Amino acid sequence: MDNKYMELELISERLKKAGVFPLNNRTILSAWMPSVLNGRLVESAFLYTAPNSPNGKMPRPFAWLTVDSQTGSVVRFEYCAVCDFMDTEKYPMDMKIEISVVPLKQRMAAGKKFKACYEGCRDIFFTPADKLTPEQNADLKELKQSMSGALRRELMDFYRVLGKTFFEWLEQTVGKEM
């Protein structure tokens, strides 16, 4: 990677320190989902509250934001109660999501692998399939595979809506199985 994009971990830390979103020990910033805005790579994430217990229910995401991938600047921040990215009839604000128990070590290892794959592929996001090298195609397949272990299954509908263009492109490029 040629470092034209700010590291996502650095973007996340800067946002937390700047107080861009409500910060407490139960607010979780989701994995980033890329898209293109005005010809530039941007990345969006949602915020949700961690469950009280490891096998309980948690509220659905309450906010979302989009950042410029090069500068880390916030392009958009919205509370879902004001401007939701989801269909609120199907996913009302008072919705509770049943969560599955995944051992912390397993979740942490899967998250680390996904972040590394994601960072390694940022330069090739949205490249037409016929322009990708075999190595790049293999990297994207590894990224897609790492998603299934890193992203909470219960939140996949939210990821798929927030990252709609990315998932469409990824499935056209490396296939639908996931």
Side-chain angles (χ1 to χ4, degrees):
M1 193 160 93
D2 64 9
N3 293 329
K4 69 180 177 181
Y5 301 122
M6 185 178 285
E7 284 184 37
L8 290 170
E9 202 64 41
L10 180 59
I11 291 174
S12 299
E13 288 305 312
R14 287 176 66 196
L15 292 171
K16 287 176 188 173
K17 285 181 184 172
V20 172
F21 49 83
L23 182 60
N24 62 50
N25 61 353
R26 293 193 52 228
T27 300
I28 297 173
L29 180 67
S30 75
W32 295 97
M33 292 290 114
S35 61
V36 176
L37 179 67
N38 299 325
R40 291 176 66 104
L41 183 68
V42 295
E43 284 152 307
S44 298
F46 52 83
L47 295 160
Y48 61 100
T49 305
N52 287 326
S53 64
N55 58 353
K57 291 185 176 190
M58 66 183 189
R60 60 152 285 179
F62 65 86
W64 60 281
L65 71 152
T66 300
V67 297
D68 181 292
S69 301
Q70 291 180 329
T71 65
S73 299
V74 176
V75 175
R76 186 171 185 180
F77 179 90
E78 297 286 352
Y79 284 100
C80 295
V82 177
C83 182
D84 208 345
F85 65 99
M86 296 298 287
D87 174 351
T88 53
E89 285 191 31
K90 188 174 180 183
Y91 302 94
M93 287 305 302
D94 60 356
M95 175 184 187
K96 300 290 185 207
I97 301 168
E98 191 81 34
I99 60 164
S100 58
V101 178
V102 178
L104 184 60
K105 269 188 173 177
Q106 181 182 338
R107 218 172 60 226
M108 297 297 281
K112 186 176 180 179
K113 179 178 171 89
F114 170 70
K115 286 177 184 177
C117 290
Y118 186 98
E119 287 282 357
C121 290
R122 285 169 90 193
D123 284 339
I124 58 174
F125 287 158
F126 305 107
T127 300
D130 62 346
K131 304 281 188 221
L132 293 169
T133 66
E135 294 81 17
Q136 291 170 327
N137 203 6
D139 289 345
L140 289 171
K141 286 179 180 177
E142 184 178 1
L143 170 68
K144 188 171 181 184
Q145 184 179 27
S146 73
M147 277 184 191
S148 63
L151 305 183
R152 277 194 177 273
R153 185 176 29 91
E154 301 88 346
L155 296 173
M156 280 310 295
D157 288 349
F158 296 93
Y159 282 113
R160 287 192 166 280
V161 170
L162 196 62
K164 185 178 189 296
T165 56
F166 173 67
F167 280 101
E168 288 172 352
W169 168 80
L170 189 61
E171 288 171 357
Q172 289 173 353
T173 305
V174 298
K176 291 189 184 221
E177 61 284 332
M178 182 165 148

